[in-house]
Amino acid sequence: MTHGPQTLGEIAPAPQDLATIVYTSGTTGRPKGVMLNHHNILCNAAAGLEMITVYPRDRTLSFLPLSHMLERTAGYYLMLLAGASVAFARSIPLLGEDLRDIRPSILISVPRIFERVYGRIMEQVESAPAPRRWLFEQATRIGWKSFEHHQGRRPWSPDLLFQPLLDALVGGRVRARLGGRLRFAISGGAALSASIARTFIALGVPIQQGYGLTEFAPIISVNRLEDNLPASVGTPLPEVEVRVDEHQELLVRGCSLMQGYWNDPGGTAQALDPQGWLHTGDQVLRKRPIINTCLSPRA
């Protein structure tokens, strides 16, 4: 007996159907296959859009592997939901050229990329004549003060009058290396040094740190542009419940939480308690409401 071709409606997956199995990196133990359904991923991407504003005119340059849930959710699905465009880099060695050609307005990255760019900038600064080194120091000092002022954490001071000129002389050149059109950048997957983040922010590159786990599809928290603390991983997404247990371990749950580990009921039972909380294995310093700095940000 033969059957005619199925329609899209007949083969459309249900929200709770398995969408993907993503293996953890193995840095915290044996790699595990994280089972995520369609609802997990779309819920996470939609909640991310409530934390950061993405416009249809935005463009991102994708260079992280799509096997990395940070790139897949934030750099791909979230952008598609917002109607933004995604360009794909040719390779990491050609990333500098691609940034200048594509001129992204949003960048999703791991700390290593920012560390490499920062290292090259500092090499040039250290080998520059004394006046240029002084100019860079003033640009970062006053640029940071300007950022803090606009964030509402510092009063206005007269030296901020020099910020536009210093930004044009120093900050503008740094931003040109990143395409010259960047509205903000998200750093996740590991902790980015607060001093490096501060330097970029002072030079007009708003880096927002976040925190997540593959088991959560993956975004748990992120800084907002209007409330950005470089030493912090921000506040939880709207759909995320968080609590800290007696051992200062961060526990999370919500619609992005995985179905479990593939063929690993023991590992699943260890990670998920009967109340549906994911035990992240990360400790938390509670200096802001709910969550401030997780000691080992990862995604």
Side-chain angles (χ1 to χ4, degrees):
M1 182 176 179
T2 60
H3 298 274
Q6 291 179 304
T7 66
L8 287 177
E10 292 173 329
I11 63 173
Q16 302 305 321
D17 287 347
L18 181 65
T20 185
I21 297 174
V22 182
Y23 277 82
T24 58
S25 65
T27 55
T28 57
R30 184 175 60 85
K32 300 180 181 69
V34 176
M35 297 188 292
L36 298 171
N37 61 38
H38 297 277
H39 183 63
N40 294 150
I41 299 170
L42 291 176
C43 177
N44 201 246
L49 283 174
E50 294 189 47
M51 298 291 283
I52 59 172
T53 302
V54 178
Y55 303 102
R57 65 176 181 271
D58 278 316
R59 179 189 304 155
T60 185
L61 178 63
S62 175
F63 55 86
L64 298 178
L66 287 172
S67 58
H68 195 299
M69 279 310 299
L70 172 62
E71 181 62 26
R72 195 186 303 187
T73 298
Y76 186 60
Y77 293 121
L78 185 151
M79 298 299 163
L80 292 180
L81 284 177
S85 59
V86 181
F88 291 90
R90 292 170 293 173
S91 65
I92 294 299
L94 296 175
L95 184 58
E97 290 182 21
D98 289 343
L99 283 167
R100 291 188 290 272
D101 290 341
I102 299 299
R103 304 186 66 231
S105 56
I106 299 172
L107 202 60
I108 310 295
S109 181
V110 290
R112 182 59 185 151
I113 299 298
F114 297 117
E115 291 165 357
R116 286 173 59 180
V117 175
Y118 175 83
R120 290 172 184 171
I121 292 172
M122 296 312 297
E123 284 178 6
Q124 294 179 5
V125 169
E126 290 166 5
S127 62
R132 287 184 60 186
R133 292 200 303 271
W134 179 86
L135 194 67
F136 182 85
E137 291 168 1
Q138 297 308 306
T140 53
R141 181 181 68 84
I142 296 178
W144 177 252
K145 290 179 69 173
S146 176
F147 167 78
E148 288 276 87
H149 171 65
H150 285 98
Q151 292 275 304
R153 295 193 287 265
R154 182 192 292 264
W156 185 86
S157 58
D159 56 356
L160 294 182
L161 292 171
F162 297 99
Q163 196 274 334
L165 175 61
L166 290 168
D167 181 65
L169 294 173
V170 181
R173 294 184 178 182
V174 172
R175 294 194 298 275
R177 295 186 179 189
L178 301 173
R181 211 171 64 94
L182 203 61
R183 288 204 301 117
F184 64 85
I186 300 291
S187 178
L192 176 65
S193 163
S195 62
I196 292 178
R198 281 182 55 152
T199 299
F200 277 109
I201 290 171
L203 297 174
V205 181
I207 294 180
Q208 301 164 256
Q209 288 219 66
Y211 165 78
L213 295 170
T214 303
E215 290 88 341
F216 215 79
I219 311 165
I220 292 172
S221 67
V222 69
N223 275 281
R224 295 176 182 266
L225 275 172
E226 65 273 14
D227 184 21
N228 187 8
L229 291 172
S232 164
V233 292
T235 53
L237 270 58
E239 60 89 11
V240 178
E241 293 182 76
V242 300
R243 72 181 181 89
V244 181
D245 70 8
E246 65 274 15
H247 304 295
Q248 294 299 108
E249 181 184 9
L250 176 66
L251 277 58
V252 298
R253 68 182 179 185
C255 62
S256 298
L257 183 58
M258 68 172 181
Q259 296 174 294
Y261 295 120
W262 175 254
N263 286 335
D264 189 358
T268 300
Q270 187 175 7
L272 301 175
D273 66 24
Q275 288 73 45
W277 292 99
L278 172 67
H279 290 247
T280 67
D282 290 325
Q283 290 185 304
V284 174
L285 302 177
R286 295 185 64 181
K287 294 182 179 179
R288 298 182 71 192
I290 304 179
I291 180 173
N292 185 8
T293 303
C294 295
L295 298 183
S296 54
R298 57 189 183 181

